[in-house]
PDB file of all heavy atoms in Angstrom:
ATOM      1  N   ALA A 345       0.821  -1.213   0.000  1.00 85.00           N
ATOM      2  CA  ALA A 345       0.000   0.000   0.000  1.00 85.00           C
ATOM      3  C   ALA A 345       0.853   1.261   0.000  1.00 85.00           C
ATOM      4  O   ALA A 345       0.485   2.275  -0.608  1.00 85.00           O
ATOM      5  CB  ALA A 345      -0.937  -0.006   1.210  1.00 85.00           C
ATOM      6  N   PHE A 346       2.005   1.235   0.657  1.00 92.00           N
ATOM      7  CA  PHE A 346       2.866   2.409   0.734  1.00 92.00           C
ATOM      8  C   PHE A 346       3.546   2.684  -0.610  1.00 92.00           C
ATOM      9  O   PHE A 346       3.645   3.843  -1.048  1.00 92.00           O
ATOM     10  CB  PHE A 346       3.902   2.229   1.837  1.00 92.00           C
ATOM     11  CG  PHE A 346       3.315   2.220   3.215  1.00 92.00           C
ATOM     12  CD1 PHE A 346       2.931   1.021   3.810  1.00 92.00           C
ATOM     13  CD2 PHE A 346       3.119   3.394   3.913  1.00 92.00           C
ATOM     14  CE1 PHE A 346       2.371   1.008   5.081  1.00 92.00           C
ATOM     15  CE2 PHE A 346       2.568   3.395   5.184  1.00 92.00           C
ATOM     16  CZ  PHE A 346       2.186   2.190   5.763  1.00 92.00           C
ATOM     17  N   VAL A 347       3.991   1.641  -1.267  1.00 92.00           N
ATOM     18  CA  VAL A 347       4.603   1.804  -2.590  1.00 92.00           C
ATOM     19  C   VAL A 347       3.573   2.304  -3.594  1.00 92.00           C
ATOM     20  O   VAL A 347       3.841   3.210  -4.393  1.00 92.00           O
ATOM     21  CB  VAL A 347       5.237   0.480  -3.060  1.00 92.00           C
ATOM     22  CG1 VAL A 347       5.623   0.553  -4.536  1.00 92.00           C
ATOM     23  CG2 VAL A 347       6.447   0.141  -2.211  1.00 92.00           C
ATOM     24  N   ALA A 348       2.380   1.721  -3.557  1.00 89.00           N
ATOM     25  CA  ALA A 348       1.325   2.152  -4.473  1.00 89.00           C
ATOM     26  C   ALA A 348       0.974   3.622  -4.246  1.00 89.00           C
ATOM     27  O   ALA A 348       0.766   4.381  -5.202  1.00 89.00           O
ATOM     28  CB  ALA A 348       0.083   1.269  -4.301  1.00 89.00           C
ATOM     29  N   GLU A 349       0.908   4.035  -2.983  1.00 93.00           N
ATOM     30  CA  GLU A 349       0.594   5.427  -2.679  1.00 93.00           C
ATOM     31  C   GLU A 349       1.721   6.353  -3.120  1.00 93.00           C
ATOM     32  O   GLU A 349       1.481   7.460  -3.607  1.00 93.00           O
ATOM     33  CB  GLU A 349       0.325   5.595  -1.179  1.00 93.00           C
ATOM     34  CG  GLU A 349       0.091   7.022  -0.719  1.00 93.00           C
ATOM     35  CD  GLU A 349      -1.114   7.689  -1.340  1.00 93.00           C
ATOM     36  OE1 GLU A 349      -2.018   6.987  -1.862  1.00 93.00           O
ATOM     37  OE2 GLU A 349      -1.142   8.949  -1.339  1.00 93.00           O
ATOM     38  N   ALA A 350       2.963   5.917  -2.956  1.00 95.00           N
ATOM     39  CA  ALA A 350       4.092   6.733  -3.401  1.00 95.00           C
ATOM     40  C   ALA A 350       4.023   6.956  -4.906  1.00 95.00           C
ATOM     41  O   ALA A 350       4.253   8.073  -5.386  1.00 95.00           O
ATOM     42  CB  ALA A 350       5.409   6.059  -3.015  1.00 95.00           C
ATOM     43  N   LYS A 351       3.719   5.914  -5.654  1.00 94.00           N
ATOM     44  CA  LYS A 351       3.575   6.058  -7.097  1.00 94.00           C
ATOM     45  C   LYS A 351       2.458   7.044  -7.432  1.00 94.00           C
ATOM     46  O   LYS A 351       2.596   7.872  -8.335  1.00 94.00           O
ATOM     47  CB  LYS A 351       3.315   4.702  -7.756  1.00 94.00           C
ATOM     48  CG  LYS A 351       4.533   3.789  -7.801  1.00 94.00           C
ATOM     49  CD  LYS A 351       4.169   2.389  -8.250  1.00 94.00           C
ATOM     50  CE  LYS A 351       3.671   2.345  -9.675  1.00 94.00           C
ATOM     51  NZ  LYS A 351       3.317   0.964 -10.084  1.00 94.00           N
ATOM     52  N   ARG A 352       1.357   6.953  -6.696  1.00 93.00           N
ATOM     53  CA  ARG A 352       0.232   7.856  -6.941  1.00 93.00           C
ATOM     54  C   ARG A 352       0.652   9.305  -6.725  1.00 93.00           C
ATOM     55  O   ARG A 352       0.343  10.177  -7.532  1.00 93.00           O
ATOM     56  CB  ARG A 352      -0.944   7.508  -6.026  1.00 93.00           C
ATOM     57  CG  ARG A 352      -2.221   8.277  -6.350  1.00 93.00           C
ATOM     58  CD  ARG A 352      -3.281   8.099  -5.286  1.00 93.00           C
ATOM     59  NE  ARG A 352      -2.912   8.764  -4.049  1.00 93.00           N
ATOM     60  CZ  ARG A 352      -3.057  10.072  -3.839  1.00 93.00           C
ATOM     61  NH1 ARG A 352      -3.552  10.861  -4.784  1.00 93.00           N
ATOM     62  NH2 ARG A 352      -2.685  10.596  -2.682  1.00 93.00           N
ATOM     63  N   GLN A 353       1.366   9.565  -5.637  1.00 96.00           N
ATOM     64  CA  GLN A 353       1.767  10.932  -5.329  1.00 96.00           C
ATOM     65  C   GLN A 353       2.844  11.451  -6.288  1.00 96.00           C
ATOM     66  O   GLN A 353       2.944  12.652  -6.528  1.00 96.00           O
ATOM     67  CB  GLN A 353       2.245  11.024  -3.881  1.00 96.00           C
ATOM     68  CG  GLN A 353       1.134  10.815  -2.866  1.00 96.00           C
ATOM     69  CD  GLN A 353       1.566  11.078  -1.432  1.00 96.00           C
ATOM     70  OE1 GLN A 353       2.507  11.840  -1.186  1.00 96.00           O
ATOM     71  NE2 GLN A 353       0.889  10.481  -0.470  1.00 96.00           N
ATOM     72  N   LEU A 354       3.655  10.560  -6.825  1.00 97.00           N
ATOM     73  CA  LEU A 354       4.722  10.964  -7.736  1.00 97.00           C
ATOM     74  C   LEU A 354       4.254  11.107  -9.175  1.00 97.00           C
ATOM     75  O   LEU A 354       4.960  11.692 -10.004  1.00 97.00           O
ATOM     76  CB  LEU A 354       5.870   9.953  -7.667  1.00 97.00           C
ATOM     77  CG  LEU A 354       6.685   9.971  -6.368  1.00 97.00           C
ATOM     78  CD1 LEU A 354       7.509   8.698  -6.247  1.00 97.00           C
ATOM     79  CD2 LEU A 354       7.580  11.203  -6.315  1.00 97.00           C
ATOM     80  N   PHE A 355       3.076  10.564  -9.490  1.00 96.00           N
ATOM     81  CA  PHE A 355       2.562  10.636 -10.848  1.00 96.00           C
ATOM     82  C   PHE A 355       2.396  12.088 -11.292  1.00 96.00           C
ATOM     83  O   PHE A 355       1.823  12.918 -10.606  1.00 96.00           O
ATOM     84  CB  PHE A 355       1.231   9.902 -10.955  1.00 96.00           C
ATOM     85  CG  PHE A 355       0.602   9.987 -12.317  1.00 96.00           C
ATOM     86  CD1 PHE A 355       1.297   9.546 -13.435  1.00 96.00           C
ATOM     87  CD2 PHE A 355      -0.659  10.512 -12.491  1.00 96.00           C
ATOM     88  CE1 PHE A 355       0.734   9.624 -14.699  1.00 96.00           C
ATOM     89  CE2 PHE A 355      -1.231  10.587 -13.745  1.00 96.00           C
ATOM     90  CZ  PHE A 355      -0.531  10.140 -14.850  1.00 96.00           C
ATOM     91  N   GLY A 356       2.911  12.378 -12.434  1.00 95.00           N
ATOM     92  CA  GLY A 356       2.944  13.741 -12.959  1.00 95.00           C
ATOM     93  C   GLY A 356       4.373  14.238 -13.018  1.00 95.00           C
ATOM     94  O   GLY A 356       4.800  14.770 -14.042  1.00 95.00           O
ATOM     95  N   ARG A 357       5.100  14.034 -11.933  1.00 96.00           N
ATOM     96  CA  ARG A 357       6.524  14.337 -11.962  1.00 96.00           C
ATOM     97  C   ARG A 357       7.261  13.278 -12.780  1.00 96.00           C
ATOM     98  O   ARG A 357       8.266  13.555 -13.427  1.00 96.00           O
ATOM     99  CB  ARG A 357       7.067  14.415 -10.544  1.00 96.00           C
ATOM    100  CG  ARG A 357       6.375  15.482  -9.708  1.00 96.00           C
ATOM    101  CD  ARG A 357       6.964  15.653  -8.372  1.00 96.00           C
ATOM    102  NE  ARG A 357       8.354  16.107  -8.413  1.00 96.00           N
ATOM    103  CZ  ARG A 357       9.015  16.540  -7.349  1.00 96.00           C
ATOM    104  NH1 ARG A 357       8.413  16.602  -6.180  1.00 96.00           N
ATOM    105  NH2 ARG A 357      10.262  16.932  -7.451  1.00 96.00           N
ATOM    106  N   VAL A 358       6.763  12.058 -12.667  1.00 97.00           N
ATOM    107  CA  VAL A 358       7.197  10.972 -13.534  1.00 97.00           C
ATOM    108  C   VAL A 358       5.956  10.234 -13.997  1.00 97.00           C
ATOM    109  O   VAL A 358       4.876  10.367 -13.418  1.00 97.00           O
ATOM    110  CB  VAL A 358       8.143   9.976 -12.815  1.00 97.00           C
ATOM    111  CG1 VAL A 358       9.460  10.629 -12.458  1.00 97.00           C
ATOM    112  CG2 VAL A 358       7.475   9.389 -11.576  1.00 97.00           C
ATOM    113  N   GLY A 359       6.103   9.457 -15.042  1.00 97.00           N
ATOM    114  CA  GLY A 359       5.019   8.585 -15.442  1.00 97.00           C
ATOM    115  C   GLY A 359       4.979   7.359 -14.553  1.00 97.00           C
ATOM    116  O   GLY A 359       5.964   6.988 -13.915  1.00 97.00           O
ATOM    117  N   ILE A 360       3.839   6.733 -14.483  1.00 96.00           N
ATOM    118  CA  ILE A 360       3.725   5.448 -13.793  1.00 96.00           C
ATOM    119  C   ILE A 360       2.988   4.493 -14.711  1.00 96.00           C
ATOM    120  O   ILE A 360       2.289   4.902 -15.641  1.00 96.00           O
ATOM    121  CB  ILE A 360       3.004   5.561 -12.431  1.00 96.00           C
ATOM    122  CG1 ILE A 360       1.536   5.961 -12.613  1.00 96.00           C
ATOM    123  CG2 ILE A 360       3.724   6.532 -11.510  1.00 96.00           C
ATOM    124  CD1 ILE A 360       0.709   5.840 -11.324  1.00 96.00           C
ATOM    125  N   ASP A 361       3.170   3.210 -14.433  1.00 94.00           N
ATOM    126  CA  ASP A 361       2.437   2.231 -15.216  1.00 94.00           C
ATOM    127  C   ASP A 361       0.962   2.232 -14.827  1.00 94.00           C
ATOM    128  O   ASP A 361       0.078   2.475 -15.652  1.00 94.00           O
ATOM    129  CB  ASP A 361       3.054   0.839 -15.068  1.00 94.00           C
ATOM    130  CG  ASP A 361       3.331   0.451 -13.602  1.00 94.00           C
ATOM    131  OD1 ASP A 361       3.076   1.254 -12.686  1.00 94.00           O
ATOM    132  OD2 ASP A 361       3.827  -0.676 -13.360  1.00 94.00           O
ATOM    133  N   LEU A 362       0.675   2.055 -13.552  1.00 89.00           N
ATOM    134  CA  LEU A 362      -0.684   1.975 -13.042  1.00 89.00           C
ATOM    135  C   LEU A 362      -0.614   1.799 -11.537  1.00 89.00           C
ATOM    136  O   LEU A 362       0.470   1.631 -10.974  1.00 89.00           O
ATOM    137  CB  LEU A 362      -1.433   0.783 -13.677  1.00 89.00           C
ATOM    138  CG  LEU A 362      -0.715  -0.566 -13.550  1.00 89.00           C
ATOM    139  CD1 LEU A 362      -1.656  -1.647 -13.138  1.00 89.00           C
ATOM    140  CD2 LEU A 362      -0.114  -0.973 -14.888  1.00 89.00           C
ATOM    141  N   PHE A 363      -1.765   1.840 -10.888  1.00 82.00           N
ATOM    142  CA  PHE A 363      -1.816   1.542  -9.455  1.00 82.00           C
ATOM    143  C   PHE A 363      -1.853   0.031  -9.290  1.00 82.00           C
ATOM    144  O   PHE A 363      -2.825  -0.626  -9.667  1.00 82.00           O
ATOM    145  CB  PHE A 363      -3.028   2.191  -8.809  1.00 82.00           C
ATOM    146  CG  PHE A 363      -3.044   3.682  -8.945  1.00 82.00           C
ATOM    147  CD1 PHE A 363      -4.149   4.344  -9.435  1.00 82.00           C
ATOM    148  CD2 PHE A 363      -1.940   4.432  -8.615  1.00 82.00           C
ATOM    149  CE1 PHE A 363      -4.164   5.720  -9.570  1.00 82.00           C
ATOM    150  CE2 PHE A 363      -1.937   5.812  -8.752  1.00 82.00           C
ATOM    151  CZ  PHE A 363      -3.051   6.457  -9.233  1.00 82.00           C
ATOM    152  N   ALA A 364      -0.761  -0.525  -8.747  1.00 79.00           N
ATOM    153  CA  ALA A 364      -0.616  -1.972  -8.675  1.00 79.00           C
ATOM    154  C   ALA A 364      -0.285  -2.400  -7.257  1.00 79.00           C
ATOM    155  O   ALA A 364       0.864  -2.468  -6.855  1.00 79.00           O
ATOM    156  CB  ALA A 364       0.470  -2.440  -9.646  1.00 79.00           C
ATOM    157  N   GLY A 365      -1.278  -2.671  -6.471  1.00 75.00           N
ATOM    158  CA  GLY A 365      -1.107  -3.166  -5.123  1.00 75.00           C
ATOM    159  C   GLY A 365      -2.069  -2.472  -4.149  1.00 75.00           C
ATOM    160  O   GLY A 365      -2.496  -1.358  -4.398  1.00 75.00           O
ATOM    161  N   PRO A 366      -2.405  -3.147  -3.067  1.00 84.00           N
ATOM    162  CA  PRO A 366      -2.149  -4.559  -2.794  1.00 84.00           C
ATOM    163  C   PRO A 366      -2.932  -5.495  -3.729  1.00 84.00           C
ATOM    164  O   PRO A 366      -3.902  -5.088  -4.356  1.00 84.00           O
ATOM    165  CB  PRO A 366      -2.640  -4.721  -1.336  1.00 84.00           C
ATOM    166  CG  PRO A 366      -2.701  -3.344  -0.792  1.00 84.00           C
ATOM    167  CD  PRO A 366      -3.031  -2.463  -1.945  1.00 84.00           C
ATOM    168  N   THR A 367      -2.475  -6.739  -3.774  1.00 90.00           N
ATOM    169  CA  THR A 367      -3.054  -7.745  -4.652  1.00 90.00           C
ATOM    170  C   THR A 367      -4.539  -7.960  -4.389  1.00 90.00           C
ATOM    171  O   THR A 367      -4.974  -7.971  -3.233  1.00 90.00           O
ATOM    172  CB  THR A 367      -2.307  -9.080  -4.494  1.00 90.00           C
ATOM    173  OG1 THR A 367      -0.999  -8.939  -5.016  1.00 90.00           O
ATOM    174  CG2 THR A 367      -3.005 -10.203  -5.227  1.00 90.00           C
ATOM    175  N   GLU A 368      -5.301  -8.141  -5.470  1.00 94.00           N
ATOM    176  CA  GLU A 368      -6.732  -8.454  -5.403  1.00 94.00           C
ATOM    177  C   GLU A 368      -7.016  -9.705  -6.236  1.00 94.00           C
ATOM    178  O   GLU A 368      -6.485  -9.848  -7.333  1.00 94.00           O
ATOM    179  CB  GLU A 368      -7.569  -7.317  -5.975  1.00 94.00           C
ATOM    180  CG  GLU A 368      -7.336  -5.950  -5.358  1.00 94.00           C
ATOM    181  CD  GLU A 368      -7.905  -4.835  -6.203  1.00 94.00           C
ATOM    182  OE1 GLU A 368      -8.181  -5.048  -7.414  1.00 94.00           O
ATOM    183  OE2 GLU A 368      -8.078  -3.728  -5.653  1.00 94.00           O
ATOM    184  N   THR A 369      -7.875 -10.582  -5.726  1.00 97.00           N
ATOM    185  CA  THR A 369      -8.246 -11.785  -6.464  1.00 97.00           C
ATOM    186  C   THR A 369      -9.737 -12.038  -6.358  1.00 97.00           C
ATOM    187  O   THR A 369     -10.309 -12.018  -5.268  1.00 97.00           O
ATOM    188  CB  THR A 369      -7.498 -13.014  -5.939  1.00 97.00           C
ATOM    189  OG1 THR A 369      -6.117 -12.853  -6.191  1.00 97.00           O
ATOM    190  CG2 THR A 369      -7.974 -14.273  -6.640  1.00 97.00           C
ATOM    191  N   LEU A 370     -10.340 -12.262  -7.511  1.00 98.00           N
ATOM    192  CA  LEU A 370     -11.746 -12.631  -7.592  1.00 98.00           C
ATOM    193  C   LEU A 370     -11.845 -14.007  -8.240  1.00 98.00           C
ATOM    194  O   LEU A 370     -11.341 -14.208  -9.348  1.00 98.00           O
ATOM    195  CB  LEU A 370     -12.520 -11.602  -8.422  1.00 98.00           C
ATOM    196  CG  LEU A 370     -13.983 -11.929  -8.748  1.00 98.00           C
ATOM    197  CD1 LEU A 370     -14.823 -11.985  -7.470  1.00 98.00           C
ATOM    198  CD2 LEU A 370     -14.561 -10.893  -9.721  1.00 98.00           C
ATOM    199  N   VAL A 371     -12.475 -14.936  -7.559  1.00 98.00           N
ATOM    200  CA  VAL A 371     -12.759 -16.249  -8.125  1.00 98.00           C
ATOM    201  C   VAL A 371     -14.241 -16.300  -8.471  1.00 98.00           C
ATOM    202  O   VAL A 371     -15.101 -16.173  -7.601  1.00 98.00           O
ATOM    203  CB  VAL A 371     -12.397 -17.379  -7.144  1.00 98.00           C
ATOM    204  CG1 VAL A 371     -12.873 -18.726  -7.687  1.00 98.00           C
ATOM    205  CG2 VAL A 371     -10.884 -17.410  -6.895  1.00 98.00           C
ATOM    206  N   ILE A 372     -14.528 -16.456  -9.755  1.00 98.00           N
ATOM    207  CA  ILE A 372     -15.898 -16.620 -10.242  1.00 98.00           C
ATOM    208  C   ILE A 372     -16.102 -18.102 -10.527  1.00 98.00           C
ATOM    209  O   ILE A 372     -15.382 -18.693 -11.346  1.00 98.00           O
ATOM    210  CB  ILE A 372     -16.139 -15.794 -11.513  1.00 98.00           C
ATOM    211  CG1 ILE A 372     -15.928 -14.301 -11.238  1.00 98.00           C
ATOM    212  CG2 ILE A 372     -17.538 -16.045 -12.064  1.00 98.00           C
ATOM    213  CD1 ILE A 372     -16.048 -13.412 -12.477  1.00 98.00           C
ATOM    214  N   ALA A 373     -17.058 -18.712  -9.851  1.00 98.00           N
ATOM    215  CA  ALA A 373     -17.202 -20.158  -9.967  1.00 98.00           C
ATOM    216  C   ALA A 373     -18.667 -20.571  -9.888  1.00 98.00           C
ATOM    217  O   ALA A 373     -19.500 -19.865  -9.318  1.00 98.00           O
ATOM    218  CB  ALA A 373     -16.397 -20.851  -8.860  1.00 98.00           C
ATOM    219  N   ASP A 374     -18.952 -21.726 -10.466  1.00 97.00           N
ATOM    220  CA  ASP A 374     -20.267 -22.344 -10.307  1.00 97.00           C
ATOM    221  C   ASP A 374     -20.070 -23.778  -9.834  1.00 97.00           C
ATOM    222  O   ASP A 374     -18.963 -24.172  -9.439  1.00 97.00           O
ATOM    223  CB  ASP A 374     -21.102 -22.240 -11.591  1.00 97.00           C
ATOM    224  CG  ASP A 374     -20.450 -22.942 -12.791  1.00 97.00           C
ATOM    225  OD1 ASP A 374     -19.554 -23.798 -12.595  1.00 97.00           O
ATOM    226  OD2 ASP A 374     -20.838 -22.626 -13.938  1.00 97.00           O
ATOM    227  N   ASP A 375     -21.133 -24.587  -9.897  1.00 97.00           N
ATOM    228  CA  ASP A 375     -21.058 -25.935  -9.299  1.00 97.00           C
ATOM    229  C   ASP A 375     -20.293 -26.938 -10.149  1.00 97.00           C
ATOM    230  O   ASP A 375     -20.322 -28.143  -9.842  1.00 97.00           O
ATOM    231  CB  ASP A 375     -22.463 -26.450  -8.974  1.00 97.00           C
ATOM    232  CG  ASP A 375     -23.370 -26.555 -10.192  1.00 97.00           C
ATOM    233  OD1 ASP A 375     -22.881 -26.357 -11.337  1.00 97.00           O
ATOM    234  OD2 ASP A 375     -24.576 -26.827 -10.012  1.00 97.00           O
ATOM    235  N   THR A 376     -19.596 -26.474 -11.174  1.00 98.00           N
ATOM    236  CA  THR A 376     -18.719 -27.372 -11.926  1.00 98.00           C
ATOM    237  C   THR A 376     -17.404 -27.600 -11.205  1.00 98.00           C
ATOM    238  O   THR A 376     -16.621 -28.471 -11.603  1.00 98.00           O
ATOM    239  CB  THR A 376     -18.431 -26.828 -13.337  1.00 98.00           C
ATOM    240  OG1 THR A 376     -17.823 -25.534 -13.237  1.00 98.00           O
ATOM    241  CG2 THR A 376     -19.722 -26.736 -14.152  1.00 98.00           C
ATOM    242  N   VAL A 377     -17.122 -26.803 -10.180  1.00 98.00           N
ATOM    243  CA  VAL A 377     -15.903 -26.991  -9.393  1.00 98.00           C
ATOM    244  C   VAL A 377     -16.277 -27.162  -7.925  1.00 98.00           C
ATOM    245  O   VAL A 377     -17.436 -27.072  -7.541  1.00 98.00           O
ATOM    246  CB  VAL A 377     -14.906 -25.822  -9.574  1.00 98.00           C
ATOM    247  CG1 VAL A 377     -14.349 -25.817 -10.981  1.00 98.00           C
ATOM    248  CG2 VAL A 377     -15.571 -24.486  -9.246  1.00 98.00           C
ATOM    249  N   ASP A 378     -15.287 -27.402  -7.090  1.00 98.00           N
ATOM    250  CA  ASP A 378     -15.538 -27.704  -5.695  1.00 98.00           C
ATOM    251  C   ASP A 378     -14.876 -26.688  -4.775  1.00 98.00           C
ATOM    252  O   ASP A 378     -14.030 -25.886  -5.196  1.00 98.00           O
ATOM    253  CB  ASP A 378     -15.040 -29.110  -5.343  1.00 98.00           C
ATOM    254  CG  ASP A 378     -13.559 -29.296  -5.687  1.00 98.00           C
ATOM    255  OD1 ASP A 378     -12.697 -28.824  -4.929  1.00 98.00           O
ATOM    256  OD2 ASP A 378     -13.277 -29.901  -6.740  1.00 98.00           O
ATOM    257  N   GLY A 379     -15.249 -26.745  -3.518  1.00 98.00           N
ATOM    258  CA  GLY A 379     -14.749 -25.793  -2.529  1.00 98.00           C
ATOM    259  C   GLY A 379     -13.262 -25.888  -2.290  1.00 98.00           C
ATOM    260  O   GLY A 379     -12.606 -24.885  -1.998  1.00 98.00           O
ATOM    261  N   GLU A 380     -12.695 -27.079  -2.402  1.00 98.00           N
ATOM    262  CA  GLU A 380     -11.257 -27.235  -2.184  1.00 98.00           C
ATOM    263  C   GLU A 380     -10.459 -26.414  -3.194  1.00 98.00           C
ATOM    264  O   GLU A 380      -9.508 -25.720  -2.833  1.00 98.00           O
ATOM    265  CB  GLU A 380     -10.861 -28.704  -2.291  1.00 98.00           C
ATOM    266  CG  GLU A 380      -9.376 -28.938  -2.046  1.00 98.00           C
ATOM    267  CD  GLU A 380      -8.955 -30.370  -2.264  1.00 98.00           C
ATOM    268  OE1 GLU A 380      -9.634 -31.079  -3.045  1.00 98.00           O
ATOM    269  OE2 GLU A 380      -7.928 -30.800  -1.682  1.00 98.00           O
ATOM    270  N   LEU A 381     -10.845 -26.508  -4.475  1.00 98.00           N
ATOM    271  CA  LEU A 381     -10.142 -25.772  -5.520  1.00 98.00           C
ATOM    272  C   LEU A 381     -10.324 -24.263  -5.336  1.00 98.00           C
ATOM    273  O   LEU A 381      -9.358 -23.495  -5.442  1.00 98.00           O
ATOM    274  CB  LEU A 381     -10.646 -26.208  -6.898  1.00 98.00           C
ATOM    275  CG  LEU A 381      -9.858 -25.710  -8.108  1.00 98.00           C
ATOM    276  CD1 LEU A 381      -8.421 -26.209  -8.065  1.00 98.00           C
ATOM    277  CD2 LEU A 381     -10.532 -26.165  -9.407  1.00 98.00           C
ATOM    278  N   CYS A 382     -11.540 -23.828  -5.069  1.00 98.00           N
ATOM    279  CA  CYS A 382     -11.803 -22.398  -4.878  1.00 98.00           C
ATOM    280  C   CYS A 382     -11.018 -21.853  -3.686  1.00 98.00           C
ATOM    281  O   CYS A 382     -10.433 -20.764  -3.755  1.00 98.00           O
ATOM    282  CB  CYS A 382     -13.299 -22.154  -4.671  1.00 98.00           C
ATOM    283  SG  CYS A 382     -14.320 -22.483  -6.134  1.00 98.00           S
ATOM    284  N   ALA A 383     -10.997 -22.586  -2.598  1.00 98.00           N
ATOM    285  CA  ALA A 383     -10.278 -22.140  -1.407  1.00 98.00           C
ATOM    286  C   ALA A 383      -8.789 -22.020  -1.678  1.00 98.00           C
ATOM    287  O   ALA A 383      -8.137 -21.060  -1.247  1.00 98.00           O
ATOM    288  CB  ALA A 383     -10.527 -23.108  -0.253  1.00 98.00           C
ATOM    289  N   ALA A 384      -8.226 -23.008  -2.389  1.00 98.00           N
ATOM    290  CA  ALA A 384      -6.800 -22.955  -2.709  1.00 98.00           C
ATOM    291  C   ALA A 384      -6.465 -21.724  -3.532  1.00 98.00           C
ATOM    292  O   ALA A 384      -5.440 -21.065  -3.308  1.00 98.00           O
ATOM    293  CB  ALA A 384      -6.386 -24.218  -3.458  1.00 98.00           C
ATOM    294  N   ASP A 385      -7.333 -21.382  -4.484  1.00 97.00           N
ATOM    295  CA  ASP A 385      -7.065 -20.232  -5.346  1.00 97.00           C
ATOM    296  C   ASP A 385      -7.285 -18.911  -4.618  1.00 97.00           C
ATOM    297  O   ASP A 385      -6.626 -17.912  -4.929  1.00 97.00           O
ATOM    298  CB  ASP A 385      -7.934 -20.313  -6.601  1.00 97.00           C
ATOM    299  CG  ASP A 385      -7.464 -21.426  -7.540  1.00 97.00           C
ATOM    300  OD1 ASP A 385      -6.277 -21.822  -7.457  1.00 97.00           O
ATOM    301  OD2 ASP A 385      -8.272 -21.909  -8.350  1.00 97.00           O
ATOM    302  N   LEU A 386      -8.182 -18.874  -3.661  1.00 98.00           N
ATOM    303  CA  LEU A 386      -8.372 -17.668  -2.859  1.00 98.00           C
ATOM    304  C   LEU A 386      -7.189 -17.445  -1.917  1.00 98.00           C
ATOM    305  O   LEU A 386      -6.615 -16.359  -1.859  1.00 98.00           O
ATOM    306  CB  LEU A 386      -9.671 -17.764  -2.059  1.00 98.00           C
ATOM    307  CG  LEU A 386     -10.974 -17.676  -2.865  1.00 98.00           C
ATOM    308  CD1 LEU A 386     -12.148 -18.157  -2.023  1.00 98.00           C
ATOM    309  CD2 LEU A 386     -11.219 -16.255  -3.359  1.00 98.00           C
ATOM    310  N   LEU A 387      -6.806 -18.475  -1.196  1.00 97.00           N
ATOM    311  CA  LEU A 387      -5.717 -18.342  -0.223  1.00 97.00           C
ATOM    312  C   LEU A 387      -4.363 -18.183  -0.907  1.00 97.00           C
ATOM    313  O   LEU A 387      -3.453 -17.554  -0.349  1.00 97.00           O
ATOM    314  CB  LEU A 387      -5.696 -19.547   0.713  1.00 97.00           C
ATOM    315  CG  LEU A 387      -6.899 -19.673   1.647  1.00 97.00           C
ATOM    316  CD1 LEU A 387      -6.811 -20.948   2.470  1.00 97.00           C
ATOM    317  CD2 LEU A 387      -7.027 -18.449   2.554  1.00 97.00           C
ATOM    318  N   GLY A 388      -4.239 -18.754  -2.117  1.00 96.00           N
ATOM    319  CA  GLY A 388      -2.991 -18.610  -2.853  1.00 96.00           C
ATOM    320  C   GLY A 388      -2.633 -17.176  -3.155  1.00 96.00           C
ATOM    321  O   GLY A 388      -1.457 -16.839  -3.343  1.00 96.00           O
TER     322      GLY A 388
END
């Protein structure tokens, strides 16, 4: 969060790629998969 905020505040004086952090993950799933797989991908 601190690095991402530093990039935000420095943008304009230098270019930045984008706001990257902290990590975000969304798992979209239906009943074709199971809870074990979804949990592993969330916690990973």
